[in-house]
Amino acid sequence: AQKVTQAQTEISVVEKEDVTLDCVYETRDTTYYLFWYKQPPSGELVFLIRRNSFDEQNEISGRYSWNFQKSTSSFNFTITASQVVDSAVYFCALSEEYSGAGSYQLTFGKGTKLSVIP
Amino acid sequence: DTGVSQDPRHKITKRGQNVTFRCDPISEHNRLYWYRQTLGQGPEFLTYFQNEAQLEKSRLLSDRFSAERPKGSFSTLEIQRTEQGDSAMYLCASSPNTGTYGYTFGSGTRLTVV
C-alpha cells in the first residue's frame, strides 16, 4: 500500500531564511504522481506542484523548488528567502495510477507546519 | 467558475443528529472526491464519483455515511447518528476526467459534534 511520510511536524524559520520540507513515499506502482499542497489557516488546500514518476527533473517556480529523487523515494520542497506569507501547513501527497477503481485517490502525509517569523 | 464550493462552512450538531453537507464542483470536472481531515492529520480519502456513479468507497466510510451525486453535478455527504469521532473537516475536491492533474479542493465543512 502507498504511504507518505513527512518526518518534520513543525519548522520555524526567520524571514528570508531558506527552508526545506522533506517528503518520503512508498509505492509498489511504477507509475505514480506526487504532489505538494499548501493549507493556510483558512483551511483550503492550495495545489503547488504535480510530478509524475517518469520525470525526475527538478523544478523551480519563483522562490519554490522541488527535488525529486526516485533512488531515495523522496520529493523534497525548498522555499528560498522565506516570507511570513509562507506560514502554513504543507502536505505531500501520492497518487497511484492503479489505485482502486481508477480513482487516483491521494494519500497524504501528516503535513509540516511552517512558521516564518518576521 | 469560482472553484469548488462547499456548504456550510461550519456545522455544530448534537451527538445522534443527522447532518448533510453539499459540494458544488467545478462545472466541467467529471470526478468528485470527498476527504476527511482530523486535527493534525492529512486528509484521508472517503469516496469518489465519476459523473453520477460512486465508484470507490474507503473503509473509513461506515454505514452511517452516505454520499450521492445525482445528475453528476453537485454532491451531498450525509452522516447519520453523528458521533463525537465524526468531528473533522470534510473536504470536497474535483478534477478533470484524466485524474492525474491533481485536484481543486473546496474550503471544507468543519463539523463539530457536541
Side-chain angles (χ1 to χ4, degrees):
Chain A
Q2 62 269 36
K3 183 180 179 182
V4 175
T5 301
Q6 294 180 256
Q8 304 150 309
T9 305
E10 293 192 42
I11 300 176
S12 290
V13 298
V14 176
E15 200 170 20
K16 297 185 183 177
E17 286 185 346
D18 299 347
V19 58
T20 295
L21 309 182
D22 297 334
C23 173
V24 174
Y25 63 92
E26 295 176 27
T27 177
R28 288 175 294 186
D29 276 11
T30 55
T31 303
Y32 53 89
Y33 305 87
L34 296 163
F35 303 83
W36 277 93
Y37 282 87
K38 175 181 180 180
Q39 189 173 44
S42 60
E44 185 171 346
L45 282 162
V46 178
F47 169 81
L48 296 178
I49 190 172
R50 161 192 171 270
R51 247 322 175 235
N52 74 54
S53 53
F54 299 108
D55 183 1
E56 287 192 72
Q57 281 192 336
N58 292 331
E59 183 158 338
I60 298 174
S61 177
R63 296 184 297 107
Y64 296 170
S65 63
W66 291 269
N67 180 264
F68 175 29
Q69 292 195 336
K70 286 179 75 171
S71 60
T72 56
S73 297
S74 65
F75 186 44
N76 296 337
F77 173 31
T78 298
I79 302 174
T80 303
S82 59
Q83 300 176 1
V84 173
V85 294
D86 296 327
S87 297
V89 180
Y90 290 86
F91 290 98
C92 181
L94 166 71
S95 172
E96 295 175 331
E97 183 164 81
Y98 300 107
S99 63
S103 66
Y104 293 99
Q105 60 177 271
L106 291 172
T107 297
F108 285 84
K110 292 188 176 182
T112 298
K113 182 178 181 181
L114 174 65
S115 298
V116 181
I117 304 163
Chain B
D1 196 7
T2 56
V4 178
S5 299
Q6 291 189 247
D7 184 69
R9 289 296 308 274
H10 304 274
K11 178 72 176 178
I12 300 174
T13 191
K14 291 184 177 179
R15 190 174 52 186
Q17 297 293 306
N18 299 344
V19 294
T20 300
F21 311 140
R22 178 182 170 118
C23 170
D24 287 273
I26 293 173
S27 56
E28 61 267 27
H29 286 182
N30 301 77
R31 296 166 173 256
L32 185 145
Y33 305 81
W34 286 97
Y35 282 75
R36 181 175 71 185
Q37 185 179 17
T38 54
L39 202 60
Q41 303 294 316
E44 296 173 293
F45 171 76
L46 290 179
T47 191
Y48 153 65
F49 289 85
Q50 182 157 11
N51 299 312
E52 67 276 8
Q54 187 176 20
L55 297 183
E56 194 170 344
K57 292 193 287 187
S58 161
R59 288 174 296 176
L60 293 175
L61 213 65
S62 75
D63 292 345
R64 296 185 296 105
F65 288 70
S66 62
E68 296 182 340
R69 192 183 182 195
K71 303 179 183 177
S73 56
F74 71 92
S75 176
T76 58
L77 177 68
E78 180 184 16
I79 309 174
Q80 296 182 327
R81 305 180 304 280
T82 52
E83 302 173 354
Q84 286 189 323
D86 297 331
S87 296
M89 175 78 87
Y90 290 84
L91 294 160
C92 177
S94 67
S95 76
N97 200 36
T98 57
T100 64
Y101 289 91
Y103 311 165
T104 301
F105 280 88
S107 297
T109 294
R110 181 165 295 284
L111 172 67
T112 302
V113 181
V114 297

